[in-house]
Amino acid sequence: MLTFEEKQHIIESFKELTRKEISMGRLNYHFEESQFEKKIVVEKLHPNGNGFVYVGDLLRYPTAQKGLVNIRDFTEQELREVIEDSIMYLSEVDEPIEEEKFEQTWLNRDKAELLLVNDEPYWNIYHGENLEESFGTRDDAEDYLYAEGFKPSAQK
């Protein structure tokens, strides 16, 4: 097991962390650049060698409570990895992914045209600007179109 001083030295090698002294000789290390309210990466590093690293909901680590993993028996390599993972976790920003809206034209024998559109969470069928039908799944919407004699325009 690494000593308190060894853990402290390893943690302080991460320049992005700021040391904060708390009660009973314990230390917290904050990541001020966190994209979340949560800024503490290392919590309650105690002179007896016990302490915690915040890993949120990363499945790689078995957490106790509040997304914390106990580092008491971690090796140097394990400690470095968990701190790197924590910093990466707190750095990630879920940017909205702009998805293309799904639209597909369907035709029948008489050249009547319907438009299948994914309007989350529904699959809607439009005749011009008017809503013809609405379904919970794409399969249900396509089944309806086939039953009504329509086929995707690419297959016509």
Side-chain angles (χ1 to χ4, degrees):
M1 178 174 87
L2 297 170
T3 66
F4 171 74
E5 291 76 16
E6 290 169 328
K7 287 179 182 171
Q8 190 178 358
H9 180 73
I10 292 165
I11 296 164
E12 290 178 3
S13 72
F14 290 89
K15 300 300 178 203
E16 44 289 66
L17 299 180
T18 305
R19 176 180 157 169
K20 307 270 183 173
E21 294 182 20
I22 57 174
S23 63
M24 299 186 296
R26 297 175 301 169
L27 302 173
N28 282 349
Y29 289 87
H30 294 239
F31 177 53
E32 301 300 337
E33 301 299 315
S34 174
Q35 298 299 309
F36 305 93
E37 279 187 44
K38 180 71 176 172
K39 297 197 180 301
I40 301 174
V41 170
V42 180
E43 285 192 24
K44 301 174 185 142
L45 181 62
H46 194 278
N48 69 8
N50 202 18
F52 302 90
V53 172
Y54 179 74
V55 293
D57 57 6
L58 293 175
L59 297 176
R60 178 177 178 192
Y61 299 98
T63 60
Q65 57 181 326
K66 302 179 197 171
L68 298 171
V69 63
N70 190 306
I71 60 168
R72 180 178 187 85
D73 298 321
F74 273 33
T75 65
E76 178 178 352
Q77 183 63 33
E78 290 170 329
L79 182 58
R80 287 188 186 283
E81 285 177 12
V82 74
I83 292 171
E84 287 171 5
D85 288 344
S86 178
I87 291 170
M88 284 179 43
Y89 181 82
L90 293 172
S91 298
E92 291 179 4
V93 176
D94 289 336
E95 294 182 23
I97 300 170
E98 222 170 283
E99 297 180 22
E100 287 186 35
K101 190 170 189 171
F102 178 88
E103 293 185 3
Q104 186 179 45
T105 303
W106 289 63
L107 300 172
N108 68 7
R109 289 184 192 178
D110 300 327
K111 303 293 185 210
E113 189 175 293
L114 294 177
L115 185 63
L116 175 60
V117 178
N118 181 232
D119 291 323
E120 285 293 330
Y122 303 105
W123 288 87
N124 296 328
I125 299 171
Y126 293 93
H127 181 257
E129 293 182 15
N130 298 321
L131 178 64
E132 174 96 9
E133 289 287 338
S134 187
F135 298 91
T137 67
R138 181 177 178 175
D139 286 342
D140 288 345
E142 289 180 348
D143 288 347
Y144 169 83
L145 287 163
Y146 282 120
E148 294 296 315
F150 284 83
K151 293 184 181 178
S153 63
Q155 292 182 0
K156 194 79 177 159

